[in-house]
Amino acid sequence: MGDPPTDPEPPSQPPSSRRSSQVSQRRGLELSRPQPAFPEEAEQIPLDPSILQSNRGILASQANLQGWSLGASPTQQENLTMFQAEEAQLGGVEYPSPNMGFPSELQPQLYLEEGGIQATQNAGLMLQQLRRGQSNLFQQLESAYLETQPDLLGQFNMYQRDDLQFSQHEPYLRDEPTLQFSPSEPGFTPFTLEVPEREPLELAVQNAKAYLLQTSVSCSLSLYEHLANLLTKILDQRPEDPLSILESLNRTTQREWCHPKLDTLRDDPEMQPTYEMADRQKALFLRSGGGEGQQEMEEEVAETAVPNVMETAFYLEQAGVGLSSDESFRIFLALKQLVEQQPIHTCRFWGKILGLSRSYLVAEVSFREGEEEEGEEEAEEMMEGGEGMDAPDEEEGEEDEEKDTDIIPKPMWKPPPVIPREESRSGTNKYLYFVCTEPGRPWTRLPHVTPVQIVQARKIKKFFTGFLDAPVVSYPPFPGNEANYLRAQIARISAATHISPLGFYQFGEEEGDEEEEGGAGRDSYEENPDFEGIPVLELVDSTANWVHHAQHILPQGRCTWVNPLQKIEEEEELGEEEEKADEGMEGVEQEVGPPLLTPLSEDAEIMHMSPWTTRLSCSLCPQYSVAVVRSNLWPGAYAYASGKIWCEVHTHSTFHLDAMFSSEVLDLGFGFHHIYS
Amino acid sequence: MGASVRPSFSEGLGGEQGWPEALRGRGPQAVSGILTALRRAGLWSPRRQLLLATWQALSRALGTMDAESLLLSLELASGSGQGLSPDRRASLLTSLPLVKRDYRYDRVLFWGRILGLVADYYIAQGLSEDQLAPRKTLYSLNCMEWSLLPPATEEMMAQTSVVKGRFMGDPSHEYEHTELQKINEGGKVFEEEVVVQIKEETRLVSIIDQIDKAVAIIPRGALFKTPFGPIHVNRTFEGLSLSEAKKLSSYFHFREPVQLKNKTLLEKADLDPSLDFMDSLEHDIPKGSWSIQMERGNALVVLRSLLWPGLTFFHAPRTKNCGYIYVGTG
């Protein structure tokens, strides 16, 4: 154990000759790896520069160790080759192995000091290595090289170990720490001076590679290729902390290689709806018809009914409400398309109503004078036809009853008289509403609303599914389908939340109206040409500066009151009904609502809070901000005003806050009949 | 307009990594739409650098309104009609990184906005390394000065469940609630009306906690669990495919799992333990409390909760963009 170190002879000649023979063999194998490529091998990053440094150190110190240094580099390259093939299993061997042999070998002083740390078996090895001319290493006592020098030795160690293991018929070098760190194993026989021949080692490498190149059953990819792909991907993309995402990367690489995405013949079926929608919206962007450019421009520059949606959207964005700008632009184009298709006098974007599977974009329009919609007449005919059908049913019922011996008592209940709906262009039916689900799709007209529908709509709370012909299943039963329910809600919201700054609208100059209409109020207004905007701060301070400009809907469901019993007397029904009418004449009171243009401050409070919230859009720059009014009754109704500009919009899923606020969540549960597909 | 903007934009980006990932899976209309939107919002020329930084950060965008991807997230979630005004957006972009620095959070997310009568609360949440750890909630009235809220406790929830009505908007506002309490006095038991004061801050905390527990969602695969315990953002998450995006089972509640243990062994065998460690939305009660919609053709999937109206979750399939925001009355 305490063998004195021999004199540093230059016995490098024999080993160098050996080395050169190896070199000649190995040169074929990727010998000329460029030096900078070394650091790329991740596991050798700490080693390589230091090995190189140590190499150069060796070169510098001993000129006559040329063969040595030559031998060093190819062996290093051999290492690298083996590393490539066997995925650093050998590299792993390199690390710890030198540690044992190092101190005793490089520094004889240290060796002597540390004494019995190292194994006797290693001593022989050290002697041999010393004799091989590593005397130069003695001169390098800097601690910086302590870890690196052993690598060179480690290579030798490894080769030695190769022989050992070969002798044990194990072609692979396993990264077992026990092999390196327990040099005192009895089975650890000393090494021969001769480095074994290359063929067994090469054979081992080739066996390993062949094993890795086996293609797996499920995929035509071998582990070797997969690992190569994985490493290539990591090195290309350089993710941070690759170790923690190794499994995900593995899975991704596997997926990528086994399922190629490109398919030039077939379109991607999943993207089909996107492309369809894009096509449809593209039609919006193109100008309709060929036409001469200039004439069309002139026509368009003239006044159109299409509102300036972008301006509205800008102001609403200041208020923190609204759809994104590109959506607003598409809505603008859709409105333009609507104006071209229908004879429209005025048009306004009312808002958006969210539904379960689709949403509605609502446009409020009024047709030009004289353009009475044909659809309306058809609807009236259908209604009359329906009533005609009812009458024969009743007669048949009566006949049956006469035949029965047991006369079933007739129910005393008569359905309440049907209140006629308001004429178009007046009251709740002042405007027509068109809906579409997305800009680019065709606009559908909503039917007029009847008072019954409004009354029933007040009692139920249902989500919209997005399909206009969906039935509305509820209790109390709603007469109509989703289109009617939507229209009724729109009517209620409009009546409650159409507001404008005080003074913008004024009444026409007709003074005798109040008496004639029995106090029902005026129902028309016109713009005030002398309107000068109210300062924004005043608009925010008090709600008295805002007025309703839509008629309030009476409990009856109409804006102007109609005595239902008078209608019955005019119609000629069965005699019984006349009698009933006389009996039922219970002094129906006229319903009165607040007149038009009443300020907001007179709105009834709900649950101890005012129904409107006013705010400045931006407190940091009050001179340019916009006054925003938000309804607490209909969440989602907003109006803004700034100077002479004002507007309102509604975006909501239509929930009316009423006294049942606390049970709102329960109502949601009740209303869940529409399960979206 | 779209054609003229696009080449200069991509030149500016210089083909950085964030660009293809963020826009993959979206139709050309949506892309030009986004660019148009950015240009129209006036964000283009003066804030080009900020935009570039945002696009670069998109490859890391995940979760509720990450401060880095705030602009894009707001754009995508705007379908519900509620958004933020430009001055609020600017304040958020400025103040959220400061919050991150001051409180040493790993990520700061903008949670949403609770509308009050007098003022609105803007809520942000700070996350640590472990994504499922309890989050710190901050609120602000003007998006500039943020105050930390105490964590929610059971007691708070019980206390505030009696308060109804809208939020006032004033954090020091106190709700009065009269209770009948039995008081023992010398052998006699009689009931007395006691007025309990509940602060609005407490109510805010419990509402945010309820909303988070009930409807905060995240797509499957966005987070993964390591064997050591902590849950990390999955950086290789490439987004859900379109068929997956339409199914409720591909979204998880962003909270500790409650129903996972009740699953049968057969169901558990199909799960991947590193990805499926949270409850999915499939078995939510009440049934049908989620509305799934595809916008812009199939380029964006939006989930809206019907239980807490105002919560919008968006996800662009096949991309990393996803997030949720709550704008409502609480």
Side-chain angles (χ1 to χ4, degrees):
Chain A
M1 168 125 171
D3 286 327
T6 56
D7 295 330
E9 305 160 23
S12 55
Q13 302 310 323
S16 67
S17 62
R18 243 193 328 264
R19 290 280 169 264
S20 50
S21 65
Q22 298 156 22
V23 162
S24 59
Q25 287 176 23
R26 288 293 176 192
R27 290 264 163 170
L29 302 174
E30 299 183 38
L31 204 51
S32 55
R33 276 204 138 221
Q35 296 286 338
F38 290 159
E40 274 198 325
E41 300 297 343
E43 302 211 6
Q44 291 218 343
I45 285 174
L47 296 180
D48 288 346
S50 44
I51 292 179
L52 295 174
Q53 282 173 20
S54 59
N55 274 348
R56 290 192 207 103
I58 296 169
L59 273 174
S61 56
Q62 292 259 356
N64 58 346
L65 285 182
Q66 292 278 336
W68 165 252
S69 54
L70 270 181
S73 36
T75 54
Q76 198 174 8
Q77 285 160 357
E78 287 159 6
N79 287 343
L80 291 175
T81 318
M82 299 187 74
F83 166 75
Q84 265 191 317
E86 299 202 22
E87 296 296 330
Q89 279 191 356
L90 307 176
V93 171
E94 287 190 352
Y95 294 128
S97 54
N99 290 338
M100 311 174 303
F102 163 67
S104 61
E105 184 249 330
L106 276 185
Q107 296 164 20
Q109 295 91 0
L110 263 185
Y111 175 82
L112 288 172
E113 284 163 15
E114 294 184 14
I117 296 177
Q118 302 308 326
T120 52
Q121 290 89 356
N122 273 348
L125 164 69
M126 297 316 132
L127 284 178
Q128 294 150 24
Q129 290 172 343
L130 286 176
R131 267 181 262 128
R132 283 187 204 140
Q134 297 186 5
S135 52
N136 58 315
L137 300 172
F138 292 161
Q139 299 172 16
Q140 299 174 15
L141 299 180
E142 295 114 42
S143 54
Y145 290 137
L146 281 184
E147 285 107 20
T148 65
Q149 296 302 343
D151 296 327
L152 301 170
L153 313 172
Q155 297 160 16
F156 292 101
N157 281 348
M158 183 182 59
Y159 294 150
Q160 305 290 342
R161 211 154 291 118
D162 265 356
D163 313 334
L164 286 178
Q165 289 178 345
F166 254 135
S167 61
Q168 295 164 17
H169 300 288
E170 280 184 5
Y172 308 128
L173 275 180
R174 299 241 175 79
D175 186 13
E176 282 176 51
T178 52
L179 276 185
Q180 290 112 34
F181 289 121
S182 58
S184 51
E185 257 180 68
F188 209 72
T189 54
F191 326 100
T192 60
L193 268 182
E194 300 283 329
V195 176
E197 298 181 7
R198 288 295 115 204
E199 280 91 18
L201 194 58
E202 209 177 317
L203 187 61
V205 170
Q206 283 179 353
N207 278 346
K209 197 164 173 180
Y211 168 70
L212 289 176
L213 276 170
Q214 270 177 351
T215 59
S216 76
V217 178
S218 52
C219 176
S220 65
L221 204 61
S222 69
L223 180 62
Y224 184 85
E225 287 171 28
H226 174 69
L227 287 170
N229 293 336
L230 183 62
L231 282 175
T232 314
K233 183 174 165 134
I234 292 181
L235 291 171
D236 283 337
Q237 293 186 355
R238 305 281 170 145
E240 291 174 19
D241 196 11
L243 184 60
S244 60
I245 52 172
L246 186 60
E247 289 91 7
S248 328
L249 283 175
N250 184 27
R251 233 180 289 137
T252 317
T253 318
Q254 267 182 341
R255 224 182 304 138
E256 272 176 19
W257 276 85
C258 291
H259 305 287
K261 284 187 192 172
L262 295 175
D263 193 346
T264 49
L265 285 182
R266 257 195 331 176
D267 281 336
D268 189 357
E270 288 183 340
M271 297 297 288
Q272 202 54 31
T274 316
Y275 299 144
E276 279 176 16
M277 175 57 55
D279 270 334
R280 230 175 278 139
Q281 290 182 348
K282 183 174 163 188
L284 280 181
F285 282 90
L286 296 174
R287 285 171 179 278
S288 56
E292 296 84 23
Q294 281 194 358
Q295 280 189 12
E296 278 202 15
M297 287 289 272
E298 284 176 12
E299 281 177 19
E300 291 198 27
V301 167
E303 284 198 23
T304 65
V306 188
N308 191 350
V309 174
M310 296 312 292
E311 188 186 350
T312 316
F314 168 72
Y315 281 111
L316 286 170
E317 196 190 352
Q318 301 289 317
V321 177
L323 310 166
S324 56
S325 321
D326 57 332
E327 190 73 23
S328 305
F329 189 73
R330 264 182 254 142
I331 291 173
F332 169 70
L333 289 177
L335 286 178
K336 189 169 148 197
Q337 188 192 46
L338 178 65
V339 166
E340 283 164 13
Q341 286 171 357
Q342 306 272 350
I344 288 177
H345 179 55
T346 58
C347 170
R348 198 174 80 89
F349 178 57
W350 186 90
K352 178 174 177 180
I353 295 205
L354 306 171
L356 287 183
S357 17
R358 302 193 300 196
S359 308
Y360 294 116
L361 295 169
V362 181
E364 182 183 81
V365 307
S366 70
F367 275 10
R368 285 196 273 263
E369 293 290 335
E371 294 276 350
E372 206 46 47
E373 314 82 34
E374 296 173 357
E376 206 181 305
E377 293 174 357
E378 288 174 8
E380 286 189 18
E381 286 171 8
M382 280 175 51
M383 275 168 52
E384 286 167 19
E387 287 174 16
M389 293 258 294
D390 286 339
D393 284 341
E394 284 185 27
E395 290 171 6
E396 287 175 10
E398 286 182 38
E399 288 172 10
D400 285 339
E401 286 180 53
E402 287 172 5
K403 288 175 190 171
D404 288 339
T405 51
D406 292 331
I407 295 174
I408 302 167
K410 261 195 176 171
M412 304 290 286
W413 177 80
K414 282 281 175 207
V418 174
I419 301 170
R421 70 173 172 87
E422 291 177 283
E423 297 297 314
S424 41
R425 301 172 197 277
S426 72
T428 48
N429 290 324
K430 188 164 184 181
Y431 294 105
L432 268 178
Y433 291 92
F434 280 84
V435 294
C436 83
T437 51
E438 243 185 291
R441 289 194 197 253
W443 291 88
T444 319
R445 210 180 85 199
L446 287 181
H448 281 304
V449 66
T450 62
V452 166
Q453 286 168 355
I454 292 187
V455 168
Q456 294 297 85
R458 281 181 176 145
K459 298 180 190 165
I460 65 176
K461 198 188 274 193
K462 296 282 290 175
F463 283 109
F464 291 103
T465 58
F467 297 97
L468 282 176
D469 48 359
V472 177
V473 180
S474 64
Y475 183 77
F478 183 79
N481 57 11
E482 185 157 311
N484 302 107
Y485 182 52
L486 180 62
R487 181 66 182 82
Q489 291 290 76
I490 292 176
R492 289 173 68 203
I493 295 171
S494 301
T497 58
H498 269 12
I499 59 179
S500 61
L502 180 70
F504 190 82
Y505 287 121
Q506 66 182 14
F507 289 120
E509 297 179 356
E510 301 171 27
E511 294 182 0
D513 284 347
E514 278 192 51
E515 298 167 7
E516 284 180 15
E517 295 187 24
R522 311 183 189 105
D523 58 354
S524 69
Y525 48 80
E526 58 186 28
E527 268 190 44
N528 181 359
D530 303 327
F531 175 66
E532 299 167 359
I534 303 180
V536 165
L537 288 174
E538 276 182 39
L539 282 174
V540 170
D541 275 339
S542 81
T543 50
N545 284 321
W546 297 83
V547 297
H548 286 280
H549 67 258
Q551 275 183 316
H552 177 79
I553 299 186
L554 303 167
Q556 197 185 41
R558 291 175 51 114
C559 292
T560 53
W561 190 76
V562 154
N563 191 345
L565 302 172
Q566 291 171 357
K567 197 81 164 40
I568 291 175
E569 288 174 6
E570 292 169 6
E571 292 175 1
E572 292 179 4
E573 292 284 342
L574 303 170
E576 296 179 32
E577 275 207 352
E578 286 182 11
E579 295 169 14
K580 296 287 179 202
D582 288 332
E583 292 171 10
M585 181 83 88
E586 301 159 355
V588 180
E589 289 181 13
Q590 185 184 25
E591 295 163 5
V592 179
L596 206 56
L597 296 188
T598 49
L600 298 190
S601 47
E602 308 203 6
D603 281 357
E605 273 193 7
I606 39 170
M607 299 199 39
H608 312 292
M609 57 185 179
S610 76
W612 298 93
T613 307
T614 57
R615 202 164 302 172
L616 214 54
S617 72
C618 170
S619 51
L620 293 171
C621 51
Q623 51 274 63
Y624 299 119
S625 64
V626 168
V628 178
V629 179
R630 194 173 73 204
S631 165
N632 296 326
L633 194 61
W634 289 102
Y638 290 85
Y640 71 83
S642 157
K644 295 197 183 177
I645 309 170
W646 65 272
C647 187
E648 67 221 298
V649 86
H650 316 260
T651 59
H652 31 190
S653 46
T654 65
F655 282 123
H656 175 109
L657 279 181
D658 49 13
M660 306 263 289
F661 179 78
S662 59
S663 55
E664 192 175 358
V665 178
L666 293 179
D667 276 343
L668 294 183
F670 169 76
F672 278 115
H673 287 278
H674 294 279
I675 299 186
Y676 49 89
S677 54
Chain B
M1 167 173 42
S4 63
V5 169
R6 217 181 308 159
S8 57
F9 199 80
S10 55
E11 269 173 47
L13 286 184
E16 282 137 352
Q17 259 187 343
W19 166 262
E21 275 186 68
L23 291 180
R24 183 157 57 152
R26 311 185 80 172
Q29 205 75 355
V31 172
S32 64
I34 290 175
L35 299 175
T36 320
L38 289 172
R39 187 155 153 261
R40 277 174 176 275
L43 300 175
W44 173 237
S45 28
R47 297 213 286 168
R48 187 169 167 162
Q49 293 303 317
L50 178 62
L51 271 185
L52 287 182
T54 314
W55 281 111
Q56 282 171 9
L58 276 182
S59 55
R60 304 192 301 270
L62 184 67
T64 76
M65 303 290 167
D66 219 335
E68 294 148 344
S69 61
L70 190 65
L71 292 177
L72 182 72
S73 308
L74 282 174
E75 183 92 12
L76 294 176
S78 64
S80 311
Q82 303 270 11
L84 289 181
S85 55
D87 61 317
R88 296 284 180 228
R89 277 206 293 261
S91 335
L92 273 181
L93 282 171
T94 314
S95 59
L96 285 182
L98 290 176
V99 165
K100 187 170 166 181
R101 175 199 70 183
D102 290 337
Y103 288 91
R104 306 251 180 260
Y105 290 138
D106 196 48
R107 277 200 300 160
V108 173
L109 312 172
F110 178 60
W111 184 88
R113 186 168 137 203
I114 293 192
L115 309 172
L117 287 181
V118 173
D120 295 340
Y121 293 108
Y122 295 88
I123 316 284
Q125 287 190 328
L127 267 75
S128 52
E129 251 322 296
D130 185 4
Q131 304 290 319
L132 268 194
R135 289 173 259 181
K136 312 275 185 305
T137 316
L138 303 107
Y139 79 95
S140 158
L141 290 166
N142 58 0
C143 280
M144 259 304 157
E145 293 143 2
W146 296 88
S147 330
L148 193 61
L149 282 174
T153 59
E154 288 289 334
E155 198 188 312
M156 270 191 215
M157 310 278 250
Q159 211 182 28
T160 53
S161 58
V162 294
V163 182
K164 315 251 180 267
R166 299 276 304 272
F167 275 93
M168 287 308 288
D170 175 18
S172 55
H173 176 85
E174 294 194 346
Y175 298 95
E176 293 183 349
H177 170 70
T178 55
E179 270 184 5
L180 291 176
Q181 278 189 4
K182 290 194 178 166
I183 297 182
N184 285 340
E185 268 197 24
K188 286 191 203 168
V189 176
F190 52 90
E191 295 183 354
E192 216 180 84
E193 278 198 5
V194 175
V195 175
V196 176
Q197 307 257 353
I198 303 169
K199 287 178 75 174
E200 177 143 311
E201 255 192 25
T202 321
R203 189 174 169 215
L204 193 63
V205 166
S206 66
I207 289 278
I208 294 176
D209 195 56
Q210 276 177 35
I211 293 180
D212 264 346
K213 284 213 168 73
V215 289
I217 57 181
I218 202 151
R220 177 177 185 265
L223 300 179
F224 74 100
K225 194 170 182 178
T226 57
F228 307 112
I231 293 167
H232 293 294
V233 171
N234 184 2
R235 260 177 289 123
T236 59
F237 173 58
E238 294 292 333
L240 299 173
S241 69
L242 270 167
S243 55
E244 280 177 22
K246 292 188 192 168
K247 287 191 271 186
L248 270 186
S249 53
S250 9
Y251 300 99
F252 291 146
H253 282 285
F254 195 11
R255 58 149 199 241
E256 294 292 332
V258 167
Q259 293 169 351
L260 210 55
K261 299 158 201 158
N262 299 340
K263 288 200 173 209
T264 64
L265 275 179
L266 269 182
E267 287 173 348
K268 279 194 202 168
D270 288 332
L271 301 178
D272 180 356
S274 69
L275 291 183
D276 295 301
F277 53 93
M278 293 183 281
D279 292 330
S280 91
L281 293 189
E282 251 182 333
H283 305 291
D284 261 9
I285 296 168
K287 243 183 161 222
S289 64
W290 289 96
S291 128
I292 297 191
Q293 284 186 23
M294 308 294 300
E295 291 197 2
R296 305 180 195 185
N298 270 357
L300 186 67
V301 58
V302 175
L303 267 81
R304 290 201 185 95
S305 164
L306 303 176
L307 195 58
W308 290 95
L311 183 104
T312 313
F313 170 85
F314 66 90
H315 173 55
R318 298 203 197 152
T319 68
K320 278 182 197 267
N321 301 326
C322 71
Y324 67 88
I325 188 172
Y326 177 82
V327 179
T329 58

